[in-house]
Amino acid sequence: MRALPATAGRGAVACAAAPVPRRSLLLSTAAAGVALNAEQLPLRLTGGAAAKIRASADAAQAVTFTSTDDALAWTNKDNRRLLHVVYRVGDLDKTIKFYTECLGMKVLRKRDIPEEKYTNAFLGYGPEDSHFAIELTYSYGVDKYDIGAGFGHFGIGVNDVAKTVELVRAKGGKVTREPGPVKGGKTVIAFVEDPDGYKFEILERPGTPEPLCQVMLRVGDLDRAISFYEKACGMELLRKRDNPEYKYTVAMMGYGPEEKNAVLELTYNYGVSEYAKGNAYAQIAIGTDDVYKTAEVVKLFGGQVVREPGPLPGISTKITAILDPDGWKSVFVDNIDFAKELE
């Protein structure tokens, strides 16, 4: 995708995309773009057995809503929350050290998949069954990725922005914006970068129950993006703020109040309709009670399903993967299956 010039707004710099290394299908939602069919199952099946499984899968996917209103009603009742955000790093140990020592995160779990040559680490501020988390992916031998111009930053709420910034600086971290009020507002913020160049906005939010509070992505048509996330993904528009002085508009989307839940921050820079996405940022994972109904709703409202709903090969976790109008990926994960992964 071609990136248009973006000199105004919130730091949009065009970068060329690079090939993404192969991902394993095992548990990680970073592999969610691969389709499943009966022939891909780990067991060798006869034609009849394969046909029965295929028919069963087809029946499971044969979800039909009587109207768009019916689909919206189901989406609004579905139990959804942001589970984790997935992205790639070049040195897992260095990144973990920065997140734990400078940003106060904890390592929640870690797994190495040598046959697929990658390692995952999950970090955050509380248990994954109730808190938003980060899923880091390290692919053997790959030490650098292109973050691109479309990804913005992650947000972390802290008690004291100035103290957090001084800790980052003392540990050798990079501070790209000193503490001070946000442009056009009063909230005290700062920006720092991790070892791979991912930006973190540090926000002063004393006592917040969800410190890992934002994922910011840039979009080319804000009204279109808001409509998609409301209708296809069941999110709520929590607030919207236009900043004509700085030529950008932001919209906060999520599944609950911003002060208690992680949110998706969509940013529109005046006059910029496309961004290069690079190959570093991957996707957000979202919990749902039914991936089959979720996929149908997405299709009803013009979304692209890039991984049809169903279980991942070799395990029972059911997922579906979609793209929004700007090409950002989300992976919906069955709530019960996700809970079993954490046991």
Side-chain angles (χ1 to χ4, degrees):
M1 179 178 290
R2 183 173 60 88
L4 299 182
T7 55
R10 306 189 75 185
V13 180
C15 299
V20 179
R22 181 172 178 261
R23 283 285 167 277
S24 169
L25 288 172
L26 187 61
L27 290 176
S28 174
T29 55
V34 181
L36 172 69
N37 56 48
E39 287 76 10
Q40 290 175 306
L41 294 172
L43 300 177
R44 292 187 177 182
L45 304 172
T46 65
K52 288 181 180 179
I53 290 176
R54 190 182 299 107
S56 176
D58 290 342
Q61 295 180 50
V63 180
T64 301
F65 291 103
T66 57
S67 66
T68 55
D69 287 342
D70 185 32
L72 285 173
W74 176 82
T75 302
N76 291 332
K77 291 188 294 184
D78 191 23
N79 293 307
R80 295 187 177 181
R81 72 176 181 91
L82 301 182
L83 302 178
H84 49 257
V85 60
V86 186
Y87 54 101
R88 304 171 181 94
V89 298
D91 186 326
L92 190 60
D93 291 336
K94 182 187 290 186
T95 303
I96 289 173
K97 182 179 177 67
F98 179 84
Y99 288 5
T100 55
E101 294 185 2
C102 296
L103 302 179
M105 295 187 198
K106 296 180 180 179
V107 177
L108 304 173
R109 56 188 170 115
K110 189 176 179 181
R111 60 171 177 249
D112 185 43
I113 313 295
E115 63 271 21
E116 294 291 342
K117 299 182 179 180
Y118 82 97
T119 305
N120 284 138
F122 293 79
L123 294 94
Y125 295 97
E128 287 181 72
D129 60 0
S130 58
H131 289 74
F132 190 51
I134 285 172
E135 178 184 341
L136 302 174
T137 298
Y138 167 70
S139 294
Y140 294 6
V142 182
D143 61 5
K144 190 174 183 180
Y145 292 94
D146 172 19
I147 293 177
F151 171 78
H153 62 258
F154 305 111
I156 296 180
V158 300
N159 291 330
D160 190 317
V161 170
K163 286 185 178 180
T164 301
V165 167
E166 287 310 307
L167 177 60
V168 170
R169 202 191 314 273
K171 295 287 186 178
K174 185 177 180 181
V175 178
T176 59
R177 187 212 193 264
E178 295 294 335
V182 65
K183 293 177 180 179
K186 297 181 180 179
T187 304
V188 176
I189 68 166
F191 276 90
V192 302
E193 284 187 10
D194 77 359
D196 289 273
Y198 291 102
K199 289 183 174 62
F200 283 80
E201 181 179 15
I202 312 301
L203 304 98
E204 198 145 293
R205 287 187 178 179
T208 179
E210 185 65 277
L212 185 58
C213 56
Q214 294 177 1
V215 176
M216 192 276 261
L217 303 174
R218 298 184 177 94
V219 298
D221 184 325
L222 188 58
D223 290 337
R224 179 184 66 181
I226 290 172
S227 177
F228 176 83
Y229 282 101
E230 284 181 325
K231 295 177 180 178
C233 297
M235 292 187 186
E236 178 184 355
L237 174 61
L238 303 171
R239 63 185 173 97
K240 185 178 179 182
R241 186 180 76 247
D242 185 36
N243 295 274
E245 181 181 357
Y246 301 103
K247 298 183 179 180
Y248 75 91
T249 307
V250 297
M252 300 296 186
M253 311 291 299
Y255 294 109
E258 194 177 345
E259 60 273 13
K260 296 181 179 180
N261 299 272
V263 300
L264 177 62
E265 177 182 352
L266 303 175
T267 296
Y268 169 69
N269 290 306
Y270 291 9
V272 184
S273 60
E274 292 182 83
Y275 295 93
K277 293 181 175 58
N279 64 348
Y281 175 85
Q283 68 238 0
I284 288 178
I286 302 169
T288 176
D289 288 338
D290 192 320
V291 296
Y292 298 98
K293 288 183 178 179
T294 293
E296 181 167 347
V297 171
V298 169
K299 292 175 182 177
L300 278 174
F301 291 104
Q304 182 181 356
V305 175
V306 293
R307 201 281 186 192
E308 291 295 335
L312 289 167
I315 59 174
S316 60
T317 300
K318 294 181 288 297
I319 68 166
T320 189
I322 70 168
L323 297 181
D324 76 1
D326 290 272
W328 295 114
K329 183 188 284 187
S330 296
V331 176
F332 285 86
V333 183
D334 182 272
N335 285 324
I336 293 176
D337 294 344
F338 181 70
K340 290 178 181 178
E341 285 190 24
L342 302 180
E343 291 177 353

